[in-house]
Amino acid sequence: MLANFMIYSRPRYWTQAMLPPPHFNRQLKQDVHHLIWTKEPGFDPTEKGTPTTAKPWINKHAIHNPKRSNKRAPNLGLGLIDWESHCSALRIKWLLNYLNATRGPWKSVLDT
């Protein structure tokens, strides 16, 4: 949850308007991996991404599962956001907003 708030929350605003490049996604995932799995995490602001040798102690498929069990996901996990899926969902949400039947001034700008 700390990684979701500290790291993923900052670029979330920009991903609603821009498509993040693949190298940005890779560097962001490296920072999150370093924050979660390193005993004493430290970040260098001049470095792009934070390489680490720390290994996760849980199954890689359980990282994105919710922290509490429910009907959709009965297995427990860390509740970490899958960043690429999250960015795709934001783009799809904007497309669905554009395709719905309402008329908004922002739609007329896109139509011209």
Side-chain angles (χ1 to χ4, degrees):
M1 185 157 54
L2 186 64
N4 288 340
F5 290 128
M6 284 183 61
I7 296 179
Y8 286 141
S9 64
R10 295 179 184 267
R12 183 176 292 129
Y13 172 77
W14 299 107
T15 58
Q16 293 181 19
M18 297 184 290
L19 180 65
H23 67 85
F24 176 78
N25 290 335
R26 185 175 54 254
Q27 293 164 359
L28 193 64
K29 286 174 73 173
Q30 283 180 348
D31 286 344
V32 169
H33 182 85
H34 181 73
L35 176 69
I36 293 174
W37 304 115
T38 305
K39 289 182 183 178
E40 296 178 14
F43 296 99
D44 182 9
T46 61
E47 195 173 73
K48 295 182 179 178
T50 307
T52 183
T53 58
K55 302 280 186 211
W57 48 267
I58 66 171
N59 187 338
K60 66 179 179 178
H61 302 292
I63 292 174
H64 304 295
N65 287 347
K67 292 183 288 184
R68 294 190 178 107
S69 178
N70 60 34
K71 289 182 181 178
R72 284 187 8 221
N75 299 326
L76 299 178
L78 289 181
L80 190 66
I81 292 175
D82 182 3
W83 181 249
E84 285 88 4
S85 298
H86 185 68
C87 291
S88 295
L90 288 173
R91 289 191 302 275
I92 291 169
K93 176 65 175 147
W94 275 108
L95 179 64
L96 292 175
N97 285 344
Y98 178 73
L99 294 176
N100 71 12
T102 62
R103 294 298 304 162
W106 66 275
K107 289 182 181 182
S108 62
V109 172
L110 291 176
D111 289 339
T112 58

